[in-house]
Amino acid sequence: MKTVKSVRDLRAAVAEARAEGKQICLVPTMGNLHAGHAALVAKAAQRTDFVVASIFVNPLQFGPSEDLDTYPRTLLADQEKLFEAGCNLLFTPDVEEMYPNGLDGQTRVRVAGVSEGLCGASRPGHFEGVATAVSKLFNMVQPDLAIFGQKDYQQLAVIRTLVRDLNMPIQIIGEQTVRADDGLALSSRNGYLTPEQRAAAPLLYRTLKEIAAAVQAGERDYAKLIAAAQEQHSAAGFRPDYLEIRESNSLRPAQTDDHQLVILVAAFIGNTRLIDNLVVDLNTPG
Ligand code: PAF
């Protein structure tokens, strides 16, 4: 596996693979990789002949009081995991390579509709930062396919919309969330948790499953289900950010006759913000 830092070297390596007739898949990441990322790369390697991963801690998607400076940078360990998972080329640009005109001088991509509400409301500018970085990566690599985790459900919806609205010929694949044995969704930010917080954290997924089971059983008083779960979260020491039931494709608030739902949660435990979600398909028995 080759590691390149410049757009020029990236393009040269991708062009070589293309000239050999290979299909290209991109897996964008911010590093500090875990088994969830490895699953994305392994899926990419199954589907295409040439897997490009990127590691870039994107300053544009962090708010002023967020963890940009402390976000773990673990390049050597990441390289090993990527290699083992079947990655062919790693792109690790620095901020100047990605944003040569500075952050303020960078043209931005704003995705309408699905960027609003949920994480878009709690993290102003976040999805504009994601959409800008991902658009640049797509243009730099020009992959046939790109793979993202479903843990960031709204992000995946933003990227699907971006590709559709800007006519980018890239197939977007969403890959299932990888969880610890106790149900906690794997996340680079889980490393911030103290042992006590880590022990409490699986409650988020448990309550998502409880809500899903109730909805599958016919309960349509969503406000009541949400309030009961929020109470459990608060009692366990979480500071709720949002907990909502949405229509799973459009992300608009769920109506009682919708059949494709997603329950999305964000909550703080200490200073760490965790997110998770669960898709509920009422056309399939739970
Ligand atoms: O999900 C992430 O790690 C990031 O938001 C992404 C997609 C790599 C864009 O910076």
Side-chain angles (χ1 to χ4, degrees), residues 28-30 37 54 56 58 61 71 126 129-130 133-134 137 148 152 155 159:
T29 81
M30 298 205 303
H37 296 108
S54 61
F56 178 60
N58 173 28
Q61 70 187 75
Y71 200 87
H126 170 67
V130 169
V134 169
L137 291 167
F148 296 85
D152 298 292
Q155 168 173 282
I159 291 164

Side-chain angles (χ1 to χ4, degrees), residues 115-158:
S115 289
E116 286 147 28
L118 305 169
C119 289
S122 331
R123 305 183 69 190
H126 170 67
F127 287 122
E128 185 175 295
V130 169
T132 301
V134 169
S135 299
K136 286 181 68 95
L137 291 167
F138 282 173
N139 284 330
M140 290 167 182
V141 176
Q142 300 188 349
D144 301 285
L145 250 73
I147 303 197
F148 296 85
Q150 277 173 0
K151 200 204 83 180
D152 298 292
Y153 193 92
Q154 189 179 13
Q155 168 173 282
L156 183 58
V158 166

